[in-house]
Amino acid sequence: MENMIQLLKRGAVALLFGTMLIACAEKPIQRTDSALQALQAAKQAGAAEYAPESLRVAEDEYQKAQEEITAQDDTFVMTRNYDVASAILVKVIADAEKAKTEAITSKQALKSGAEGAVVLAKTSLEEAKNQLAQAPTGKGTQADLQALRGDLQAAETTLAEIDAIMAMEDYIGVKAKAESVQALASRVNEQVAQAIQKTGKHKKA
Amino acid sequence: MLSWLFVAWWQADRLPTKFPPQLESLDHQAWSHGAEVYFLERYRAFHQDIINLRTQWRREQVRWWPTANTQILQATYQNLLQEGLNLLKTSQHEKFTRLQYLKTALESERRQVTHLRTLTGSFDVRQNLRALSVTEGLLNQAASRLQQNHDEQARLLLEQARESLVPVESQAMAQMERYGTASQLAKWNHWVTSTLDWSTKTGGTVIVVFKASRQLVLYRNGKPLRRFSIELGFSGLQDKLQEGDGATPEGQFHILQKKGPGSTKFHKALLLNYPTNEHRRRFHEAKVTGRLGAHRGIGGLIEIHGQQPNGNSTTNGCIALHNADMDAVFHLAKEGTPVTIVGALQPNNWVVKVRGAISDHTRQRIALPIGSPTFRYR
């Protein structure tokens, strides 16, 4: 009989312990850390600028995961369940990685576009300088030549600014500046060509 | 009793198990269209309301028995849905309006640069040519940004462009001002009237040069005989003060010397008696007051001549005609023929019109829309 009672007692303790083990689900702390790291990595890759939409999706999901964790924290200890929060955090990690990849790809594409525009701008500027050296000179051309030199000086100043903003990875800004240089250089080319056509001669080299 | 409770519980109004995604989707769309940039406080309140609603929604779902809160939450959901739609619509409109506004401002600044560039060859804008080029560079960059719908970056570039234009505008308007002043116009009218009176009295030939309209008119007996188009110095519409300023002198002159082919490289030429005593007086006064350096010269050799051998039409201060026109003028003019050079006679001359356009632009220029959240159109 005593053995029976002892057995029942042990059984009850084991049942209680087992129930507590099942009911007391663990907070997804590690997964939260991983999600935060993934978000941080996406931001460091420039997602805020180059993949803002995807980053926003990941951040919104992270907010939802936190809400879910808080909600579970507020419930009775035996009924807590962090499975949903955990699943959302898995999605956050995936979304953040997607944002990171998108940012890297987009940045690379913009970088290539910007570098291409800079090469084009430099070529146009060199052409314009050579063209201006061939421009007809003589009485009364000072104002025209000065205007064209002004264009080229402005273009050169803009081109010199490009390195600094390239280092800051502002590729959209680089492209805009390079296009501006090209526009000024093209105008010089056109105007010198018109002057040559008008006077019918090049300056002697 | 138990079955009644079960039926009541079963039929009770419940919230959907999953928080409906439409509201979150609207939040995302409104944010994408710049709601946070243009309507910061309103957007943040909306976003926070969604978070709060979601939390309450979750709490409500874990209750055993639905309460009156269910209906309140559903009503809140509907209200937020409406606010989200409004926010999205307003943000879209705001973005569109800002982009349109900036595009208009960009075009307007480009027109201003064009106006200022038209002064090249008329006024001394040498100091400003680089500033104009810099402005154009900035406007080009702003245009690139606008193409990508980057309104804030475009606005900053436009601001910089405007800043670099302001000193150019001020200088240009100062140079053009005398073409609209009554005393200057009266002086020019007086010179022309006295020259034509002399022509009427003596029946002689006189030459009058109107710089603003770039015309040379030959008069005889006080009546116009022939009219020719001319080119002037690179700062031709300014009054000559010193050597190399590219200005065409104003005043009452006469022809000192006729230079036929072989005596000039400009086909034919009529040398004027510049500088007159009046020009010398002004030149010395400018030196005394420090407007001119001590080693500056007054310049000379101002002529009415034919085309340049290199085909350029602009001069260093002389008055240039096509060779055929020069032949006609040369034939009718003699040594001693009066030549009066004025800016304009009418107050609505070309310079006044251009100055008006530049000035109107500066007056009508209004603040560019700035970022969150203060910009309003009306």
Side-chain angles (χ1 to χ4, degrees):
Chain A
M1 184 65 183
E2 209 171 290
N3 280 350
M4 192 67 161
I5 292 166
Q6 196 66 26
L7 199 66
L8 276 172
K9 272 184 186 170
R10 282 183 185 167
V13 168
L15 189 69
L16 185 69
F17 189 69
T19 312
M20 279 177 76
L21 269 182
I22 294 163
C24 290
E26 256 187 69
K27 250 187 177 180
I29 295 170
Q30 204 174 348
R31 204 157 270 174
T32 303
D33 288 346
S34 304
L36 277 174
Q37 279 171 13
L39 282 171
Q40 192 57 31
K43 281 180 195 165
Q44 276 174 356
E49 193 175 351
Y50 298 102
E53 302 271 330
S54 300
L55 181 67
R56 168 80 186 205
V57 169
E59 284 178 332
D60 279 353
E61 287 298 317
Y62 180 77
Q63 165 69 27
K64 279 191 218 167
Q66 292 309 301
E67 287 169 26
E68 178 62 25
I69 290 169
T70 312
Q72 291 303 324
D73 287 348
D74 290 345
T75 57
F76 178 54
V77 68
M78 303 293 273
T79 58
R80 270 180 208 164
N81 185 344
Y82 293 103
D83 287 355
V84 174
S86 226
I88 300 174
L89 286 169
V90 170
K91 192 170 179 308
V92 172
I93 295 166
D95 287 344
E97 278 168 3
K98 185 182 162 226
K100 183 182 165 183
T101 313
E102 203 178 303
I104 291 168
T105 314
S106 167
K107 204 157 101 175
Q108 192 52 47
L110 284 168
K111 189 180 176 187
S112 305
E115 283 170 347
V118 172
V119 170
L120 217 57
K122 282 182 179 167
T123 314
S124 302
L125 190 58
E126 281 311 307
E127 267 177 38
K129 279 186 198 166
N130 293 335
Q131 184 86 328
L132 192 60
Q134 301 296 312
T137 53
K139 192 182 176 187
T141 56
Q142 294 98 319
D144 296 337
L145 288 176
Q146 248 165 348
L148 298 175
R149 278 188 206 115
D151 280 350
L152 287 190
Q153 280 170 2
E156 276 182 327
T157 309
T158 310
L159 200 60
E161 291 163 2
I162 282 178
D163 286 345
I165 54 168
M166 186 74 102
M168 282 153 53
E169 298 187 335
D170 176 10
Y171 302 120
I172 298 169
V174 169
K175 194 162 182 248
K177 278 190 188 289
E179 283 170 352
S180 152
V181 169
Q182 216 193 327
L184 289 171
S186 298
R187 194 174 60 200
V188 172
N189 275 329
E190 275 168 31
Q191 292 197 355
V192 176
Q194 278 172 12
I196 290 170
Q197 203 178 13
K198 198 170 151 190
T199 58
K201 58 183 176 185
H202 285 72
K203 183 187 167 189
K204 281 176 190 167
Chain B
M1 176 68 178
L2 270 175
S3 60
W4 178 85
L5 275 173
F6 179 75
V7 170
W9 177 79
W10 187 256
Q11 289 181 343
D13 195 11
R14 281 194 176 73
L15 294 169
T17 321
K18 198 170 181 294
F19 190 74
Q22 289 90 333
L23 199 50
E24 287 160 0
S25 164
L26 259 180
D27 177 15
H28 191 85
Q29 283 181 61
W31 174 83
S32 293
H33 284 90
E36 195 176 19
V37 177
Y38 309 133
F39 309 105
L40 181 69
E41 284 172 22
R42 187 177 162 193
Y43 172 74
R44 286 200 176 157
F46 169 69
H47 185 70
Q48 190 56 49
D49 284 348
I50 294 175
I51 293 172
N52 294 343
L53 178 66
R54 209 159 44 204
T55 308
Q56 288 173 321
W57 194 282
R58 191 177 286 108
R59 277 193 199 131
E60 195 59 23
Q61 279 178 331
V62 296
R63 285 185 206 279
W64 286 97
W65 190 266
T67 64
N69 274 347
T70 306
Q71 284 170 353
I72 295 169
L73 294 184
Q74 279 176 336
T76 309
Y77 181 86
Q78 289 304 324
N79 289 342
L80 280 176
L81 213 54
Q82 193 53 52
E83 167 64 356
L85 283 169
N86 289 342
L87 201 51
L88 173 62
K89 212 168 141 187
T90 322
S91 303
Q92 282 173 327
H93 180 257
E94 183 82 6
K95 180 129 194 151
F96 175 79
T97 315
R98 282 170 69 96
L99 288 170
Q100 287 304 112
Y101 181 89
L102 290 168
K103 277 176 193 166
T104 310
L106 175 76
E107 288 314 312
S108 170
E109 295 305 335
R110 281 194 160 146
R111 276 198 298 277
Q112 182 77 328
V113 171
T114 308
H115 279 136
L116 289 163
R117 276 202 186 273
T118 60
L119 303 178
T120 313
S122 297
F123 291 93
D124 189 3
V125 289
R126 286 173 294 179
Q127 303 297 318
N128 297 327
L129 290 171
R130 192 162 177 272
L132 283 178
S133 301
V134 168
T135 305
E136 281 195 311
L138 290 166
L139 293 176
N140 289 340
Q141 289 176 54
S144 297
R145 290 292 193 172
L146 279 178
Q147 269 179 354
Q148 290 156 338
N149 292 344
H150 294 165
D151 49 334
E152 187 55 18
Q153 289 93 335
R155 181 189 72 80
L156 290 170
L157 287 160
L158 264 173
E159 285 285 7
Q160 285 177 42
R162 282 183 172 183
E163 276 170 28
S164 66
L165 263 193
V166 169
V168 183
E169 290 166 343
S170 309
Q171 197 189 332
M173 286 201 291
Q175 286 181 3
M176 291 190 281
E177 193 176 6
R178 65 196 188 97
Y179 277 77
T181 53
S183 58
Q184 183 64 68
L185 287 166
K187 194 194 232 180
W188 286 334
N189 273 287
H190 171 71
W191 289 347
V192 173
T193 308
S194 65
T195 307
L196 294 185
D197 282 350
W198 181 87
S199 171
T200 309
K201 277 179 201 157
T202 61
T205 301
V206 295
I207 294 170
V208 181
V209 172
F210 300 99
K211 297 205 295 183
S213 57
R214 285 186 159 75
Q215 283 199 325
L216 182 151
V217 186
L218 265 167
Y219 291 88
R220 186 176 285 166
N221 291 323
K223 300 267 184 300
L225 195 64
R226 298 281 305 268
R227 206 175 281 271
F228 305 98
S229 291
I230 54 165
E231 287 297 339
L232 301 169
F234 59 82
S235 308
L237 296 200
Q238 285 179 272
D239 194 6
K240 190 163 192 66
L241 185 64
Q242 60 169 316
E243 188 176 18
D245 62 9
T248 300
E250 292 157 16
Q252 291 178 292
F253 307 94
H254 62 265
I255 293 169
L256 272 184
Q257 188 191 348
K258 288 179 77 173
K259 298 177 182 176
S263 307
T264 173
K265 57 180 178 175
F266 304 115
H267 182 58
K268 289 174 184 173
L270 302 167
L271 177 68
L272 304 186
N273 64 325
Y274 172 85
T276 63
N277 289 338
E278 172 58 16
H279 289 103
R280 285 201 176 89
R281 188 192 63 74
R282 279 193 304 146
F283 176 72
H284 288 300
E285 192 181 276
K287 273 191 164 180
V288 169
T289 55
R291 274 178 65 208
L292 288 179
H295 301 292
R296 305 300 304 186
I298 194 168
L301 274 177
I302 296 296
E303 298 175 340
I304 298 170
H305 59 61
Q307 286 166 270
Q308 296 184 51
N310 66 6
N312 275 321
S313 47
T314 314
T315 72
N316 283 340
C318 295
I319 296 147
L321 292 103
H322 287 293
N323 288 346
D325 294 342
M326 188 61 213
D327 287 339
V329 174
F330 194 82
H331 175 70
L332 292 165
K334 297 184 294 192
E335 285 179 6
T337 296
V339 177
T340 296
I341 305 175
V342 296
L345 297 183
Q346 304 300 325
N348 63 340
N349 57 70
W350 175 79
V351 179
V352 168
K353 284 178 189 162
V354 175
R355 189 177 188 276
I358 292 169
S359 167
D360 284 351
H361 178 90
T362 57
R363 267 201 310 275
Q364 287 160 9
R365 199 181 258 160
I366 55 168
L368 290 167
I370 58 170
S372 159
T374 49
F375 176 65
R376 294 289 176 270
Y377 299 93
R378 286 172 200 92

